[in-house]
Amino acid sequence: MNPWHHGAAPISTAVASGRVQLVSIRQGAVAQARLRIIWLSLAFAFIILVAMLRIAYLGMGGETTRATSLEEALLPTRGEIVDRNGVPLARAFPAYALWFNPEALGPGSDPLVRSPDVVAAKLKAIFPDLDEGRIEAQLASGRQGYIRRRLLPEEANRVQDIGELALEMPMENDRHYPQGSMGAHVLGYVGADGKGRVGMEQVLDAELTDPARRGTPQTLSIDVRVQGALEDELRRGMKLTDAQGAAGIVLDVDTGEVLALASLPEFDPNKIDKRGQELMFNRVTNQVYELGSTFKPLSVAAAIDAGTVRDFGRRYDASPVKVGRFSIKDSHAMGPTLNVVETLIHSSNTVTARIADELGPERLRQTMIDLGMNERPYIELPAKGFPLWPGEKWPRLRSMTVSYGHGIAVTPLHLASAYAAMVNGGIWRPATLHRLAPGDVPQGRRVFKASTSSRMRQLMRAISIYGTGRNGDAPGYRVGGKTGSAEKPGVGGYRRSALVSTFAAAFPMDRPRYVVIAMLDEPRGTIASSFQRTAAWNAAPIVGRLVPRIGPLIGVRPDDSRDIDISSITPLIPEARKGTE
């Protein structure tokens, strides 16, 4: 008997059992694989379902790509502002910003490799005007935020070389003003929230951000050549007289378009800091002044229009005017009597007051209302000062003082619009900062008769030839204008040491095209101004220098062969008679 025979059965049984176990393992593995496939299929199906639902939501929710999306993507985030000749004044452009991210290296970790004082010093070396102490405090506190806006590419490269990951430089859409501070009070600026502030940036905010309109530049009436010349001459006048501030405007007499508007000191819209915030007040449209003798031509025009002044040769008493306990005097003796022409040439308060007295308070008040003197100035800018208006009923004394520019305070823009009406044929029109097409010029309202306007042009020219406006004349440009020097009011009365000096002019007087206003706030007598503080010596020369600079640019060329005919009034002017003797 084979000795191995007895063990064969157990071995066979073991092999069979192993095979069964192997089959079971394989079946379990297959079942588990199938289960995994099912779960993966379900997950994939869920993802597809979510994607389909998202697509359906976008289709029904109005978030589909619009036909203009490419156009919008190519447009700047904010539209351009240009001058009347298409020169850019404000535009959007991409720029780097410097941002401190305290979590750049992960939450809870120190954001800086170097100490805050070292990093702040390195940034100061790149940006000399940076407040190093403030930046060091920001870095040390771990407070995220902007360190600086509007970096130049070379500045961004130097910041990158510092090697601090927490100093991030995101690319942003910025607002750039290519002309710098020029026209700052006209343009305003754009705040960090993307909204326009102060000037036309605020006025045109909707147009500049509307996708349907921001592709078309917004054209202003401003001419950058005239704007630059005006600011330059006002700045020069300020320095020569050590004045506190200055204001000026160049206005088209027939349309009301503002070719230049300047308030000094100015701010830089490219860099709005604390100092810039303090300088945003607009002296042309927001500050009201007693503009003194510049009101005298308006009062005389009202009297001519009403018929109370018919004969320019009539002699008026030039002695002090006593009304109750008050007395109106002239700055210096001008003789016992004066005619109308002499009154304006020598700037007599007393005779102007007597002319206004004959006109009457009601008619003078109505003329001032017709000239808009009782309302905020008409212009698009948001900051517009309300006049200090004498009220409903003007007593006799009030009418007299208003006639020579005291007891009423208005903006220089009020005066510019009034002078435009006085010389353009008698039509008052609102000022505008929009360039107007010929068909868009407002009809305006008649304030003076055309004949009155014609007479006033003669008188204004005579002032510049023979009177206080001599220093405002420019050879060949036929300038006519009136000076005004008024003390500023203060606590307890007028401040004799603080003057507002103004020269209001128009040119050329044979066919007026433009009004020019130049005003100095608190000029001081210096060697350059011959120690004189009055407008004849400081404000008038500004216009005398400005007109030859801007005339050829705006269609007025010098011509010594022509002038307005004032031969009918020269016999009434002693200075003119002396010249012919």
Side-chain angles (χ1 to χ4, degrees):
M1 190 173 182
N2 190 340
W4 300 101
H5 179 73
H6 293 289
I11 292 172
S12 177
T13 302
V15 170
S17 176
R19 287 175 177 174
V20 171
Q21 187 176 5
L22 182 60
V23 170
S24 298
I25 291 172
R26 287 176 178 176
Q27 289 176 343
V30 170
Q32 190 174 7
R34 286 175 178 173
L35 185 61
R36 288 178 178 174
I37 292 172
I38 292 172
W39 278 111
L40 287 173
S41 299
L42 289 173
F44 186 67
F46 177 75
I47 292 171
I48 293 175
L49 179 62
V50 169
M52 292 179 68
L53 289 173
R54 175 63 176 167
I55 292 172
Y57 170 74
L58 292 174
M60 294 183 294
E63 297 185 23
T64 56
T65 302
R66 293 172 292 178
T68 58
S69 60
L70 179 59
E71 180 183 353
E72 290 180 19
L74 294 175
L75 290 175
T77 56
R78 190 176 181 88
E80 278 193 356
I81 299 177
V82 299
D83 86 333
R84 64 187 303 106
N85 299 311
V87 178
L89 299 175
R91 58 177 23 165
F93 80 109
Y96 292 103
L98 180 54
W99 175 270
F100 176 54
N101 179 11
E103 297 186 355
L105 299 179
S109 58
D110 193 338
L112 297 174
V113 177
R114 300 174 183 83
S115 62
D117 61 321
V118 172
V119 176
K122 289 181 175 293
L123 291 174
K124 176 72 173 180
I126 300 172
F127 310 106
D129 60 335
L130 209 61
D131 186 339
E132 186 175 350
R134 182 182 64 81
I135 298 304
E136 181 181 346
Q138 179 182 353
L139 299 177
S141 67
R143 185 177 70 256
Q144 69 174 4
Y146 284 106
I147 295 176
R148 193 178 184 87
R149 310 290 291 270
R150 195 180 289 118
L151 273 65
L152 296 174
E154 54 268 28
E155 293 172 335
N157 289 335
R158 293 180 65 187
V159 172
Q160 190 73 31
D161 291 341
I162 295 176
E164 294 286 353
L165 295 180
L167 299 179
E168 298 179 349
M169 287 172 289
M171 182 70 76
E172 299 180 337
N173 284 306
D174 203 356
R175 195 66 166 167
H176 179 57
Y177 300 90
Q179 312 302 328
S181 62
M182 185 190 300
H185 288 89
V186 172
L187 295 171
Y189 69 102
V190 175
D193 59 356
K195 299 292 185 182
R197 299 281 189 274
V198 182
M200 294 303 284
E201 288 278 25
Q202 178 176 336
V203 175
L204 298 171
D205 200 59
E207 292 86 345
L208 294 170
T209 56
D210 182 1
R213 292 182 285 178
R214 70 181 188 226
T216 303
Q218 296 295 316
T219 304
L220 301 186
S221 59
I222 295 294
D223 186 320
V224 292
R225 302 168 301 175
V226 180
Q227 181 72 33
L230 175 62
E231 292 186 15
D232 185 47
E233 291 299 343
L234 287 174
R235 193 175 296 110
R236 179 180 175 184
M238 278 182 64
K239 291 179 179 178
L240 290 175
T241 61
D242 195 22
Q244 184 183 89
I249 186 168
V250 178
L251 183 75
D252 188 310
V253 303
D254 293 319
T255 66
E257 292 172 287
V258 176
L259 273 67
L261 185 154
S263 176
L264 301 181
E266 72 277 40
F267 64 93
D268 185 355
N270 286 310
K271 180 186 175 184
I272 301 300
D273 52 16
K274 183 179 179 182
R275 175 63 173 163
Q277 293 281 356
E278 295 172 352
L279 296 177
M280 286 182 188
F281 192 82
N282 192 333
R283 299 174 189 271
V284 180
T285 65
N286 207 17
Q287 179 65 63
V288 296
Y289 303 90
E290 289 188 353
L291 293 174
S293 296
T294 57
F295 266 57
K296 290 173 183 174
L298 300 174
S299 302
V300 170
I304 295 172
D305 216 61
T308 58
V309 169
R310 289 188 175 91
D311 180 9
F312 283 6
R314 174 188 167 186
R315 309 299 298 184
Y316 290 83
D317 181 6
S319 64
V321 180
K322 294 182 179 180
V323 182
R325 59 189 181 90
F326 296 97
S327 182
I328 298 173
K329 301 177 182 178
D330 285 323
S331 59
H332 60 279
M334 300 179 185
T337 63
L338 297 171
N339 61 40
V340 171
V341 186
E342 291 171 322
T343 296
L344 291 179
I345 285 177
H346 299 296
S347 198
S348 171
N349 294 340
T350 59
V351 176
T352 304
R354 287 186 166 95
I355 290 173
D357 195 34
E358 290 184 5
L359 175 65
E362 293 79 10
R363 286 187 286 194
L364 181 60
R365 178 178 178 275
Q366 188 57 53
T367 298
M368 294 301 167
I369 290 174
D370 292 342
L371 292 171
M373 299 292 192
N374 64 325
E375 303 175 286
R376 296 183 190 276
Y378 282 81
I379 198 167
E380 293 82 3
L381 294 177
K384 293 176 281 194
F386 195 85
L388 296 181
W389 179 250
E392 295 296 323
K393 295 291 184 180
W394 289 10
R396 182 184 176 210
L397 179 62
R398 176 64 72 192
S399 177
M400 289 183 174
T401 60
V402 167
S403 73
Y404 57 85
H406 286 260
I408 182 172
V410 298
T411 68
L413 180 57
H414 279 105
L415 186 66
S417 296
Y419 266 55
M422 184 176 68
V423 302
N424 72 2
I427 305 298
W428 181 92
R429 292 183 179 89
T432 181
L433 282 165
H434 291 294
R435 183 180 182 184
L436 300 179
D440 295 334
V441 176
Q443 184 176 357
R445 61 173 177 255
R446 180 163 292 283
V447 180
F448 303 113
K449 299 170 186 173
S451 58
T452 299
S453 180
S454 178
R455 296 295 270 170
M456 292 310 302
R457 292 197 290 269
Q458 292 179 308
L459 292 171
M460 295 291 286
R461 180 65 177 135
I463 297 171
S464 289
I465 297 175
Y466 302 108
T468 57
R470 286 189 184 95
N471 290 330
D473 196 14
Y477 289 96
R478 296 92 72 197
V479 177
K482 182 71 186 76
T483 55
S485 304
E487 295 170 357
K488 296 177 73 172
V491 179
Y494 287 94
R495 299 158 52 200
R496 292 188 176 275
S497 61
L499 290 182
V500 174
S501 297
T502 309
F503 187 58
F507 76 100
M509 290 311 295
D510 51 318
R511 172 47 178 99
R513 295 276 305 280
Y514 304 99
V515 161
V516 182
I517 306 291
M519 188 207 75
L520 292 172
D521 192 349
E522 296 193 24
R524 298 172 179 84
T526 64
I527 294 176
S529 64
S530 302
F531 296 100
Q532 298 289 332
R533 298 186 300 140
T534 57
W537 295 93
N538 49 47
I542 293 175
V543 176
R545 294 189 299 265
L546 176 66
V547 169
R549 290 184 62 175
I550 66 175
L553 302 175
I554 51 182
V556 181
R557 297 189 177 277
D559 187 348
D560 292 321
S561 65
R562 57 187 297 182
D563 206 336
I564 185 171
D565 182 9
I566 62 171
S567 59
S568 62
I569 63 173
T570 49
L572 304 175
I573 307 171
E575 290 81 358
R577 293 199 302 269
K578 290 177 183 177
T580 59
E581 292 174 355

